[in-house]
Amino acid sequence: MSEPSKAGWFARHRMHLAIFGIALCVLAATSADHLIDQSEAPHFAYQAEAFLDGQLELSAKPPNNNDWIRYEGKDYVSFPPVPAVVMMPFVAIFGLSFNDVLFTLFFGALNILLMFMVLQMLVREGLSALREEDNLWLTALFGFGTVHFVCAVRGEVWFTAQIIGVSFTLAYILAATKAKYPLLAGLFLALAFDTRVNLAFTVFYFGLQLFFPRVGGRWAFGDFKNLLKKGALFSLPILLVAAVQMAFNHARFHNLFEFGHSYLIGPAGQRIKEHGLFAYHFFEWNLRAMLLRLPVILDRAPYLGYNADGLSILLTTPIFVRLFWPRAKPWLYPILWVTAIAGILPPLFYQNSGYVQFGYRFSLDITPYLVMLLAVGKIPMNRWTKLLILVSVAVNLAGAIAFKRSGPI
C-alpha cells in the first residue's frame, strides 16, 4: 500500500480508530490492577493449552475448584470452546499464564466499535434517522452504560465468554441485516452460540428477514429459490460448528449434548441434579435478578452495596425504560423484539442467575438488540435522554471499579 493510500485509509477510518483507541484506554484504566496478572478463572487459557497439546482433557491441574469439571479421572472445561480456540495463538506464544484480562479488554473495545458500526449501518439502510453524534451517544451507552463495562474489565471465564459472545453477535447483525450476507451471518451466529449457547435462539434476526423480506414497503414471503439459496449458505457453517461441538461433547462425556455441566460440583451441581440444567424452578430467581434486584443497604459508608445476584437492568441502565415508548415502529422493530426475547428466555430458566455479578450479566447477550431498538424507535436525543445515558455510565463505572474489589459500591 502506497503512502497516499495509507493516508487515505487512515482518513476514512479515523472515527473507527478513535472509538477503538478511546474505548481500549478507558477499559484499561478502569481495569487497572486487574491487568497485572491473569484472572482467577483462566479456564479458556487452560483449554487452549490442552488443544495445543493435541488433547481434550486439560494438560495442567486447575488452579482452583471454581467451575472446573472432573470426569473419569480427568479435568475438563465445560464452557463452549470458541474463546479458547481464539486464545490458542496467544497461549502458544505466552504460555499457560497468558493474561486473559488483556484478551477480554481487546474484545470489549472491539465491541464498542462494532456497536457504532451497527448503528451507522441502520442509518445507511434507512432504518434509523439518528445523526452520527447521536450514534456516538448510544455507542457510549452500550460500552459504558450497560453491564458490558463491568464484564469487559474483569477477565475470568464467565465474563470473557459474555464479551466474546457479543463480538460475534455484533458481527452477525452486520452480516444478517436484510439477509445480505447469509454465509457470514451463519458463521458468526455459529461462533456466537459456540461461545454462549443461548445465542443460537437469535437465529430469528436472520430467519425472519429471510422468510419475510420487505417488498414495496410491505411484508412478503421470500422468493423460494432465493430463500433456498440463502438458507443453505446460512445453515452450512451452523451445521458444521454444531457437528464439531457434538463430536467434542461425545469424545469427552460420551453424550452428544453434554457440555460437562452435569458434572459440576458444589451448589451448582446439586441444583442440576435436583432440577436439571434448565427448569421452571429457576425462572422466578432469574426474573427477579434481571428486573427487580435492588442495592443492598449497608450500615457504613458508602451505605449501598450491589446484590451478588445482580442489580435490575432498569437500575444499571435506566434508559432502557424508554424501550416501552418508541416514537416509531419500523419493520425491523418487531424482529428486534422477537430476537431479544428469544435470546433471553433460555437464561431465565437456567440453573444460575449469573451469580456473582454486579448487574444481570446474561442481559448482555441481547443488549445489542436493545440498543438497536432505541435507535430504530427514534429515541429523542435531547438533554433528558443524554442525562439518562450519563447516569447509566456513572452506575456502571461505579460497578466496574467496585466489583470484586471492595464489595459495596
Side-chain angles (χ1 to χ4, degrees):
M1 185 183 292
S2 65
E3 289 301 320
S5 297
K6 288 181 181 178
W9 186 89
F10 280 105
R12 290 193 303 274
H13 296 282
R14 62 181 181 273
M15 178 65 78
H16 294 160
L17 293 171
I19 291 170
F20 179 81
I22 293 170
L24 188 61
C25 289
V26 172
L27 294 176
T30 309
S31 184
D33 56 304
H34 293 318
L35 286 172
I36 298 173
D37 297 307
Q38 186 182 68
S39 79
E40 295 180 356
H43 296 54
F44 291 131
Y46 278 66
Q47 183 65 76
E49 185 194 50
F51 287 154
L52 289 167
D53 289 341
Q55 59 191 54
L56 303 181
E57 69 274 14
L58 299 186
S59 307
K61 183 176 176 60
N64 51 54
N65 295 320
N66 197 353
D67 277 2
W68 303 87
I69 302 299
R70 185 76 175 169
Y71 179 74
E72 293 185 345
K74 298 177 181 179
D75 296 307
Y76 295 98
V77 171
S78 64
F79 299 92
V82 164
V85 173
V86 177
M87 197 180 284
M88 284 173 65
F90 304 99
V91 173
I93 296 170
F94 299 104
L96 186 59
S97 62
F98 173 63
N99 193 322
D100 58 319
V101 182
L102 285 171
F103 181 78
T104 308
L105 280 181
F106 172 85
F107 282 96
L110 178 63
N111 288 348
I112 295 170
L113 170 59
L114 289 173
M115 188 75 252
F116 176 73
M117 293 172 65
V118 166
L119 292 169
Q120 290 291 90
M121 177 268 295
L122 293 176
V123 175
R124 291 194 305 271
E125 296 292 347
L127 296 166
S128 168
L130 296 182
R131 300 169 300 165
E132 183 176 78
E133 177 188 339
D134 301 330
N135 284 336
L136 286 171
W137 276 95
L138 287 183
T139 300
L141 169 70
F142 167 79
F144 308 111
T146 70
V147 291
H148 180 272
F149 198 176
V150 183
C151 292
V153 300
R154 283 293 314 162
E156 301 187 346
V157 63
W158 313 280
F159 305 108
T160 299
Q162 295 277 176
I163 292 297
I164 294 181
V166 169
S167 301
F168 289 126
T169 291
L170 288 163
Y172 163 60
I173 290 169
L174 287 168
T177 300
K178 292 190 174 180
K180 280 190 173 182
Y181 306 104
L183 184 63
L184 284 175
L187 174 62
F188 289 130
L189 179 62
L191 295 173
F193 75 65
D194 213 27
T195 300
R196 294 274 303 151
V197 176
N198 60 292
L199 291 175
F201 291 86
T202 61
V203 66
F204 286 102
Y205 185 74
F206 179 86
L208 290 174
Q209 293 181 78
L210 175 64
F211 281 91
F212 303 103
R214 296 288 287 181
V215 177
R218 296 183 177 184
W219 293 106
F221 189 77
D223 172 71
F224 182 75
K225 184 177 180 180
N226 180 63
L227 189 153
L228 195 62
K229 178 182 177 182
K230 287 191 172 184
L233 288 171
F234 178 70
S235 301
L236 183 62
I238 291 174
L239 294 174
L240 179 61
V241 170
V244 171
Q245 178 62 58
M246 287 191 289
F248 183 52
N249 293 343
H250 192 272
R252 296 184 301 165
F253 306 116
H254 318 302
N255 185 327
L256 294 174
F257 304 103
E258 177 59 68
F259 285 79
H261 292 86
S262 298
Y263 306 109
L264 286 169
I265 60 175
Q270 189 61 36
R271 288 194 299 269
I272 294 169
K273 286 179 182 178
E274 290 180 5
H275 304 285
L277 191 60
F278 295 90
Y280 177 74
H281 176 81
F282 305 119
F283 179 71
E284 182 181 2
W285 177 24
N286 280 285
L287 193 65
R288 286 173 59 85
M290 183 172 73
L291 297 177
L292 301 176
R293 287 294 183 196
L294 300 176
V296 177
I297 304 298
L298 304 174
D299 59 2
R300 64 189 186 280
Y303 305 109
L304 285 178
Y306 58 82
N307 192 309
D309 258 341
L311 299 175
S312 164
I313 62 172
L314 301 179
L315 288 179
T316 55
T317 311
I319 198 173
F320 282 160
V321 174
R322 294 300 307 264
L323 290 169
F324 304 105
W325 292 279
R327 285 188 166 186
K329 296 181 180 179
W331 62 267
L332 192 62
Y333 185 84
I335 291 176
L336 289 170
W337 267 120
V338 169
T339 305
I341 292 170
I344 199 61
L345 271 179
L348 289 176
F349 292 90
Y350 185 55
Q351 60 85 22
N352 187 0
S353 67
Y355 180 97
V356 175
Q357 58 191 345
F358 171 73
Y360 187 67
R361 64 180 174 88
F362 294 157
S363 68
L364 186 53
D365 293 330
I366 63 166
T367 295
Y369 299 102
L370 300 183
V371 175
M372 291 170 70
L373 279 165
L374 291 174
V376 302
K378 291 187 178 180
I379 183 174
M381 295 302 293
N382 53 34
R383 68 181 66 179
W384 298 110
T385 296
K386 292 175 182 178
L387 178 61
L388 281 174
I389 290 175
L390 292 174
V391 170
S392 300
V393 171
V395 170
N396 286 279
L397 174 61
I401 292 172
F403 183 58
K404 289 196 175 183
R405 281 194 176 102
S406 61
I409 55 176

